[in-house]
């Protein structure tokens, strides 16, 4: 027999954070996803690659949770975490045992606004991003062709530049512009929190406003 559809519980906090919760008790697991409405389309020529670079920096620590603490907390509890950037969104996700959902929510709330963005770490990560571009694009016939096709198809549109950015832009991204990009787009009113799995929605709703509610709403990002 087909399983009855469980309704998605949806709410929006006063600061604009949209919250979607779906209960699925088939396994004692939970997936926590935080989607930010920002991608490479929100960049401009001469400053490409900011969204993807910032995705990398989201794992480089806050005053409360130093570099590496996020992934250690997840992996230490048998979980898996990762992130990806597209033209339109940047998404962070964790799959972990259900009884650790509060800990994951605390980590996500912390790094929404409290990134260190240490200049030394930015310079170190720059080399990682440049190597990623070499591997996936410049040393890949498929990647290079895809990039050329997009640049040709979207001449006067932000989809024309690659999500990872042009190499010369990656080389010159500086801490001030990365901080400005973070301050503009990493705000609760520009994000969607999604939790799916072995959770009871009314119970889960208690820690979400406690953790995310105090984070101030930011100015509405400019339309593209």
């Amino acid at each position: 027999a087909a399983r009855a559809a469980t309704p998605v519980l949806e709410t929006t906090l006063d600061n604009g954070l949209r919250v979607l919760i779906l209960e699925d008790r088939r396994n004692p697991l939970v997936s926590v996803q935080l989607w930010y409405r920002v991608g490479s389309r929100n960049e401009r020529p001469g400053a490409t690659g900011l969204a993807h670079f910032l995705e990398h920096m989201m794992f480089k620590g806050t005053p409360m949770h130093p570099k590496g603490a996020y992934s250690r907390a997840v992996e230490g509890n048998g979980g898996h975490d990762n992130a990806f950037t597209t033209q339109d969104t940047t998404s962070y996700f964790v799959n972990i045992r259900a009884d650790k959902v509060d800990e994951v929510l605390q980590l996500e709330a912390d790094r929404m606004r409290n990134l260190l963005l240490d200049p030394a770490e930015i310079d170190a990560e720059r080399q990682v991003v440049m190597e990623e571009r070499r591997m996936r694009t410049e040393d890949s016939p498929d990647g290079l062709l895809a990039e050329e096709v997009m640049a040709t198809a979207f001449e006067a549109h932000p989809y024309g530049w690659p999500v990872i950015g042009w190499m010369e832009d990656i080389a010159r991204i500086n801490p001030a512009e990365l901080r400005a990009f973070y301050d503009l787009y990493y705000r609760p009113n520009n994000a969607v929190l999604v939790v799916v799995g072995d959770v009871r929605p009314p119970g889960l709703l208690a820690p979400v406003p406690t953790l995310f509610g105090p984070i101030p709403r930011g100015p509405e990002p400019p339309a593209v």
Side-chain angles (χ1 to χ4, degrees):
R3 214 165 53 93
T6 304
V8 175
L9 182 68
E10 178 177 357
T11 188
T12 301
L13 304 187
D14 289 344
N15 60 10
L17 179 69
R18 189 175 177 211
V19 183
L20 304 173
I21 303 174
L22 178 62
E23 183 178 358
D24 185 338
R25 309 185 70 80
R26 288 175 292 177
N27 293 296
L29 303 171
V30 67
S31 181
V32 178
Q33 305 172 10
L34 200 54
W35 294 73
Y36 290 92
R37 298 184 191 92
V38 59
S40 58
R41 69 173 186 164
N42 300 96
E43 300 159 358
R44 58 177 176 79
T48 65
L50 281 166
H52 173 261
F53 202 126
L54 188 54
E55 175 213 312
H56 279 238
M57 295 308 299
M58 282 284 277
F59 295 89
K60 299 302 175 182
T62 69
M64 186 180 294
H65 300 99
K67 175 185 173 183
Y70 184 98
S71 293
R72 282 195 301 272
V74 172
E75 292 163 9
N77 286 293
H80 167 69
D81 70 288
N82 212 330
F84 60 88
T85 306
T86 71
Q87 284 94 343
D88 303 297
T89 61
T90 309
S91 177
Y92 303 85
F93 63 89
V94 176
N95 300 323
I96 200 167
R97 42 191 264 211
D99 64 337
K100 293 296 178 181
V101 65
D102 286 9
E103 188 172 336
V104 171
L105 291 172
Q106 196 276 326
L107 288 164
E108 287 293 5
D110 181 40
R111 69 178 181 172
M112 179 180 277
R113 290 299 322 131
N114 298 320
L115 280 194
L116 291 172
L117 291 176
D118 176 58
E121 287 292 344
I122 289 172
D123 282 337
E125 201 61 26
R126 186 190 317 278
Q127 303 308 313
V128 174
V129 175
M130 292 172 88
E131 184 55 35
E132 181 182 338
R133 180 180 161 81
R134 290 186 195 101
M135 181 179 70
R136 294 188 176 182
T137 303
E138 296 175 6
D139 294 339
S140 164
D142 289 347
L144 198 58
L145 176 62
E147 186 172 276
E148 290 296 323
V149 167
M150 291 294 279
T152 303
F154 294 98
E155 287 186 23
H157 188 287
Y159 283 9
W161 55 78
V163 172
I164 198 168
W166 300 118
M167 188 67 92
E168 58 267 31
D169 291 344
I170 299 170
R172 56 149 294 280
I173 284 173
N174 63 64
E177 66 181 335
L178 209 53
R179 170 72 64 182
F181 198 83
Y182 174 64
D183 285 344
L184 180 58
Y185 294 106
Y186 279 64
R187 297 284 186 172
N189 50 300
N190 199 48
V192 181
L193 173 67
V194 181
V195 184
V196 179
D198 188 8
V199 294
R200 289 181 173 84
L204 187 63
L205 270 180
V208 169
T210 302
L211 293 169
F212 288 90
I215 302 173
R217 174 191 292 266
E220 290 303 314
V224 176

